[in-house]
């Protein structure tokens, strides 16, 4: 059984609820004027227009993105002076390999021949055979004794001698 304070609180909340409901009902009955029906019909027209615009946008065909193919070279490409885009235009060479070829050429000097090109990582004997008729070399390569072509060809570090080996 509720205490007297709880009864007063319940009575207060039920009175507020009843007054709020009756106020809303009175306002909704009173607002049935011709101006509201015009506003309501205008709102309905706007909603229909927005819905039809959304539906037409959903059915619009999407444009396909065209990928630009690199331009085909007109003749053999000189790998000793060609830009990255020119090298990329060769068949079998993508952007990553073209970037490695240019970086190697900038670091170690011109290739001079297919043998010099084979020092680039990713260019093996089969790639050299495929590119043979499409590339030329115009510059003189660096002497081979100054260029270390691959990290695997670096000399192995010697083991430091142990102190017992240093005794006289």
């Amino acid at each position: 059984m509720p205490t007297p304070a709880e009864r007063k609180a319940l009575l207060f909340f039920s009175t507020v609820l009843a007054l709020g409901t009756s106020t809303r009902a009175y306002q909704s009955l009173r607002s049935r004027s011709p101006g509201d029906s015009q506003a309501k019909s205008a709102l309905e027209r706007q909603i229909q227009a927005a819905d039809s615009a959304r539906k037409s946008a959903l059915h619009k065909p999407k444009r396909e993105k065209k990928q630009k193919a690199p331009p085909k070279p007109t003749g053999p490409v000189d790998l000793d002076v060609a830009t990255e885009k020119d090298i990329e235009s060769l068949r079998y060479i993508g952007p990553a390999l073209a970037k490695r070829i240019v970086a190697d050429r900038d670091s170690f000097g011109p290739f001079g021949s297919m043998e010099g090109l084979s020092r680039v990582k990713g260019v093996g004997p089969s790639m050299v055979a495929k590119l043979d008729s499409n590339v030329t070399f115009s510059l003189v390569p660096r002497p081979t004794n100054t260029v270390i072509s691959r990290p695997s060809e670096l000399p192995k570090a010697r083991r430091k001698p142990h102190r017992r080996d240093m005794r006289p």
Side-chain angles (χ1 to χ4, degrees):
M1 187 97 191
T3 62
E6 290 174 340
R7 276 191 219 140
K8 286 182 183 176
L10 286 173
L11 180 64
F12 173 76
F13 285 127
S14 60
T15 305
V16 168
L17 181 66
L19 284 174
T21 305
S22 62
T23 304
R24 283 191 179 213
Y26 175 74
Q27 286 178 349
S28 66
L29 290 175
R30 198 182 100 197
S31 67
R32 300 275 179 178
S33 64
D36 285 339
S37 65
Q38 291 175 352
K40 189 173 183 178
S41 65
L43 181 63
E44 287 296 324
R45 284 192 305 261
Q46 286 180 348
I47 290 173
Q48 288 176 354
D51 286 343
S52 65
R54 264 191 226 120
K55 287 178 184 176
S56 66
L58 291 177
H59 297 296
K60 191 180 285 188
K62 293 184 179 180
R63 293 183 187 175
E64 294 181 16
K65 292 183 180 178
K66 294 180 182 178
Q67 296 209 358
K68 294 181 181 178
K72 300 293 179 192
T74 56
V77 175
D78 186 0
L79 290 182
D80 287 338
V81 293
T83 64
E84 194 173 318
K85 292 288 182 188
D86 294 337
I87 296 172
E88 191 178 331
S89 69
L90 290 168
R91 193 170 182 173
Y92 309 112
I93 294 184
L97 184 57
K99 190 177 281 189
R100 281 198 305 266
I101 290 171
V102 170
D104 186 276
R105 183 185 66 205
D106 292 344
S107 298
F108 298 115
F111 301 111
S113 67
M114 290 303 255
E115 183 180 310
L117 178 63
S118 64
R119 73 181 181 219
V120 178
K121 184 179 179 182
V123 177
S126 64
M127 179 69 76
V128 168
K130 290 175 187 176
L131 294 175
D132 193 23
S133 62
N134 296 325
V135 297
T136 62
F137 303 94
S138 63
L139 301 175
V140 178
R142 267 190 182 174
T144 57
N145 61 354
T146 60
V147 175
I148 298 173
S149 59
R150 298 221 172 148
S152 61
E153 296 176 7
L154 288 171
K156 302 270 184 192
R158 289 188 183 181
R159 183 176 63 89
K160 289 185 179 179
H162 195 268
R163 66 180 170 177
R164 71 170 177 242
D165 297 334
M166 301 295 283
R167 293 184 200 160

